[in-house]
Amino acid sequence: MDPARRAPFPAEAAIHWMSGTGNALRLAQAFAGDLAAKGVAVRLSQAAPRPEPPPPGAWLALFFPTHGFTTPWPVLRLCLALPLGRGRPASVVSTRAGWWMGACLRGLSGSAAWLPALLLAIKGYRVRGVLSVDMPSNWITVHPSLNAAHVSHFIDQGRIKTHAFARRLLEGRRHLWSVDNLFELICGMALAPVSLGYLLFGRPLFAKLFMANERCDACGLCALHCPQGAIRMKAGGNWPYWTLHCESCMRCMNLCPRQAVEASHSLGVLLNLAAGAPVVALLLALALPGWTGGPVLQKGLPGFLLNYAWYLLALVATYALAFQLMRWRPLRLAFAFTTLTRWFRRYRMPGLRPSELPGDPMNRKRRSKTDPRPVPTESSRG
Ligand SMILES: Cc1cc2nc3c(=O)[nH]c(=O)nc-3n(C[C@H](O)[C@H](O)[C@H](O)COP(=O)(O)O)c2cc1C
Ligand code: SF4
Ligand code: SF4
């Protein structure tokens, strides 16, 4: 690139991150370190629904994980809430699930990094960098964590890639149309229906799989650190209850000091039976023109909305019922022992302290009103 066409890097940068288990946070910190070393004043903050606007002319950078081959909803919400770009430069980095199966396997970000890049471009930001980085997969709902050697392999590679990205942007060059970015863009478009399905159906279902097993001592740490304020301590302050605000970021599951948070597969079967019946009927009605069976038969938008309302209601009601029944210890044990996550190794970025992952500030206020016990900390929990 002609050096004369390179844009000088601004003196200030605002970095917003979303991170369940620390992968995106560590890369955001690595990026911030490279910028600070070149004299850029950096502000790092966790993605929030009402973000502090970046200073005029400052670089805007986003770091977050991929969920369902696309961008997690809190990051899309952040992009919508940010002020107009007015020519501010911006970059977007998504982390994806590095995996090991006899060899290093890359994750698939799909539209995760491209969707915020598009939203920011529409809002008048000059997007100069898009990147997807393989980091250890943290989706413990579906598999155990990688072992320590594979975890450190992905972290080392991820850091190297992020430093190279920062160097490039600091030199005033762009990073947009790489082979990897083009591949993700094509996959993202091809997988758009799957991503939409994840956001509409998968996200609420995965939220309602969470339960606390019999090891839970009601310390409330999971609720305090939830970035979405999605956990309520119910039944006399004793058990965490997961609401539909959960984004399945995996923070609670991996921070719990007693490894008491499970994503219950047996509860999932129950939820699917309750919530899935009309959806299955609708799919059958769409696929088989002669099909007239099933609980909900309307097609088109009204049929979809009716089915969707049923789906959400059935999830919430079945979960609430199961939660009450689980106050009976044998049933809690039955759910806890019929979930694979009981035997899955947990994951969080090595060396990460829970205090680096603060929850929604409302959690602390809510707790201080309802629970007289001192707020648990890492040291109080050992
Ligand atoms: C609910 C959920 C969905 C995920 N979907 C994908 C995916 O579609 N593609 C992918 O490569 N990784 C996927 N992942 C893996 C994470 O994006 C990856 O491990 C990321 O580095 C986690 O970053 P964090 O620790 O900052 O949250 C998913 C993880 C979760 C929890
Ligand atoms: S952090 Fe673990 S032990 Fe503490 S309330 Fe949550 S599930 Fe229970
Ligand atoms: S409830 Fe757990 S998984 Fe869901 S958003 Fe909160 S911390 Fe993340």
Side-chain angles (χ1 to χ4, degrees):
M1 190 189 204
D2 174 5
R5 287 185 56 214
R6 292 183 185 176
F9 204 91
E12 286 178 276
I15 303 178
H16 297 266
W17 58 270
M18 170 189 167
S19 184
T21 50
N23 291 347
L25 170 61
R26 279 290 183 264
L27 296 190
Q29 289 167 334
F31 185 78
D34 289 345
L35 267 49
K38 293 284 176 191
V40 178
V42 186
R43 192 181 74 203
L44 261 169
S45 50
Q46 186 166 210
R50 278 181 297 281
E52 224 180 289
W59 188 282
L60 174 80
L62 306 181
F63 285 79
F64 54 87
T66 303
H67 284 175
F69 307 119
T70 195
T71 330
W73 172 240
V75 177
L76 293 178
R77 206 171 48 190
L78 166 80
C79 292
L80 295 173
L82 281 166
L84 293 178
R86 303 190 195 289
R88 284 187 188 95
S91 58
V92 180
V93 175
S94 65
T95 62
R96 55 191 183 193
W99 187 241
W100 183 271
M101 217 177 266
C104 274
L105 300 182
R106 46 161 287 157
L108 192 57
S109 265
S111 56
W114 281 109
L115 207 52
L118 179 68
L119 277 176
L120 292 177
I122 292 171
K123 292 188 83 163
Y125 289 83
R126 275 183 302 119
V127 180
R128 300 192 57 85
V130 169
L131 185 74
S132 299
V133 186
D134 294 307
M135 292 292 273
S137 178
N138 71 343
W139 203 356
I140 307 304
T141 299
V142 294
H143 59 69
S145 164
L146 295 172
N147 68 30
H150 299 145
V151 163
S152 65
H153 165 84
F154 281 112
I155 294 172
D156 291 347
Q157 295 302 313
R159 282 212 172 103
I160 291 171
K161 203 170 171 182
T162 308
H163 286 312
F165 181 68
R167 233 179 0 257
R168 208 178 156 85
L169 300 181
L170 280 162
E171 286 167 2
R173 291 187 289 159
R174 280 187 294 223
H175 183 86
L176 294 172
W177 304 113
S178 64
V179 175
D180 190 42
N181 278 349
L182 283 171
F183 177 73
E184 291 292 7
L185 182 61
I186 293 165
C187 291
M189 288 194 290
L191 290 168
V194 180
S195 297
L196 191 65
Y198 173 80
L199 286 173
L200 290 177
F201 295 99
R203 187 184 153 281
L205 175 67
F206 286 121
K208 290 295 180 184
L209 293 187
F210 286 117
M211 58 163 282
N213 69 23
E214 78 292 347
R215 289 195 288 259
C216 173
D217 66 358
C219 69
L221 208 68
C222 51
L224 278 176
H225 284 274
C226 172
Q228 307 303 324
I231 302 176
R232 303 266 185 279
M233 298 303 285
K234 284 204 178 181
N238 275 339
W239 298 104
Y241 179 97
W242 276 264
T243 68
L244 283 181
H245 295 292
C246 169
E247 290 291 338
S248 278
C249 73
M250 298 290 126
R251 191 183 286 185
C252 51
M253 193 176 200
N254 292 292
L255 279 196
C256 171
R258 302 180 69 89
Q259 207 171 313
V261 179
E262 310 283 10
S264 173
H265 297 115
S266 42
L267 185 55
V269 171
L270 261 189
L271 293 169
N272 268 303
L273 284 176
V279 179
V280 171
L282 183 75
L283 289 177
L284 282 171
L286 288 171
L288 307 171
W291 169 262
T292 52
V296 179
L297 297 175
Q298 281 164 283
K299 295 183 191 175
L301 189 63
F304 171 79
L305 292 177
L306 205 61
N307 281 291
Y308 192 53
W310 167 272
Y311 180 77
L312 293 183
L313 262 170
L315 284 186
V316 171
T318 313
Y319 185 82
L321 182 67
F323 180 82
Q324 289 305 329
L325 294 175
M326 272 192 260
R327 295 170 80 166
W328 188 48
R329 189 176 157 84
L331 200 70
R332 185 167 293 273
L333 288 174
F335 276 119
F337 276 92
T338 50
T339 174
L340 293 173
T341 59
R342 189 170 185 95
W343 290 275
F344 285 174
R345 184 171 44 218
R346 302 302 196 245
Y347 170 75
R348 80 177 188 234
M349 165 67 63
L352 184 86
R353 284 170 289 110
S355 56
E356 292 183 80
L357 298 173
D360 174 1
M362 282 305 291
N363 295 349
R364 209 161 278 266
K365 281 193 196 148
R366 224 179 275 124
R367 182 187 165 107
S368 63
K369 275 192 199 145
T370 56
D371 193 340
R373 293 174 303 167
V375 172
T377 60
E378 295 149 58
S379 47
S380 70
R381 296 306 319 253

